[in-house]
Amino acid sequence: MNADLFGAPAVPGLVRLPGFALAEEAALIEAARGLATVSPFRVMLTPRGGKMSAAMTSCGAAGWVSDRRGYRYTPRDPLTGQPWPAMPALFSNLAARAAEAAGFTGFAPDVCLVNQYGPGAKMALHQDRDEADFTAPIVSVSLGLPAVFLWGGMQRTGPIAKIPLASGDVVAWGGAERLYFHGIAPLKPGHHPHLGPLRLNLTFRRAF
Ligand code: MD3
Ligand code: FE
């Protein structure tokens, strides 16, 4: 499934579903805007006190938070003191269908982290290791301006593959590659019909 015509793995552990969410693009963006009216996008601090460059919010049973105390999932939005907004059925259904199509059966995400990138915003190489169970895959949905996904290995240093992601593209990660270093190159300025100068990324996770 994750192989080219000659049977060689294209990018091991990473399953691309180009355009999988394109038919729902406008509805997904609308739903993300709705979430942001309850739990607004905010720029978080890293544990060392630096500012991240993407703005973030979450929906589902918990949300991902970073501050001087570290990285973690919290049941309430620290900005509002209220629970994070529920995950829209549109989101959870899409994530489950995409995971199935990518070969990961029975994926039931409990968290969706929503990242918003403006011009020049990036995400440095990192691992996602705040989740309880690394056997569940991660599903990501790109919306708005295109970006370049950076894909490394188990070490922070080493070769980095550059994978273009366009609006409506879905990617799923599982197995050993679940813990690979990855990031997003600085967003090139542009204009998207629904999102203007922005890119949104929905990452669906099983955090608990
Ligand atoms: C590969 N977000 O939120 S999504 C993140 O486009 C994150 O906003 C990027 O990395 C973005 O943590 C990339 C793709 C992604 C997310 C989680 C992964 C790829 C992953 C976890 C393990 C391996
Ligand atoms: Fe990540």
Side-chain angles (χ1 to χ4, degrees):
M1 134 223 332
N2 182 31
D4 65 20
L5 284 175
F6 309 100
V11 185
L14 175 161
V15 183
R16 285 206 260 180
L17 303 168
F20 191 90
L22 207 48
E24 292 149 275
E25 186 190 45
L28 291 164
I29 291 167
E30 202 51 42
R33 287 202 176 109
L35 298 175
T37 66
V38 180
S39 278
F41 286 105
R42 81 292 308 263
V43 174
M44 298 198 201
L45 292 180
T46 66
R48 302 186 54 178
K51 267 191 176 181
M52 297 195 167
S53 72
M56 298 177 177
T57 189
S58 288
C59 63
W64 187 82
V65 166
S66 175
D67 60 20
R68 293 307 292 246
R69 289 159 52 200
Y71 309 128
R72 64 202 175 278
Y73 287 95
T74 63
R76 283 172 183 267
D77 178 349
L79 205 60
T80 65
Q82 296 299 121
W84 297 94
M87 197 185 302
L90 182 70
F91 279 22
S92 38
N93 290 343
L94 171 65
R97 276 186 287 121
E100 199 74 36
F104 303 104
T105 52
F107 178 52
D110 48 19
V111 172
C112 176
L113 171 62
V114 187
N115 299 142
Q116 176 178 268
Y117 296 79
K122 60 183 167 46
M123 195 173 283
L125 279 185
H126 66 280
Q127 292 172 296
D128 286 28
R129 44 188 318 153
D130 304 316
E131 299 76 22
D133 176 8
F134 299 142
T135 66
I138 284 190
V139 171
S140 134
V141 179
S142 291
L143 299 165
L145 286 184
V148 175
F149 178 67
L150 307 172
W151 185 231
M154 275 307 284
Q155 260 75 48
R156 189 180 292 279
T157 55
I160 303 286
K162 294 184 174 183
I163 299 170
L165 293 176
S167 195
D169 287 357
V170 177
V171 189
W173 291 261
E177 286 81 355
R178 169 71 180 71
L179 287 171
Y180 276 22
F181 280 89
H182 59 277
I184 292 287
L187 196 79
K188 287 218 174 85
H191 179 86
H192 182 270
H194 296 303
L195 276 170
L198 305 176
R199 168 178 188 261
L200 291 184
N201 184 267
L202 317 176
T203 65
F204 294 95
R205 296 125 187 279
R206 182 101 209 147
F208 304 112

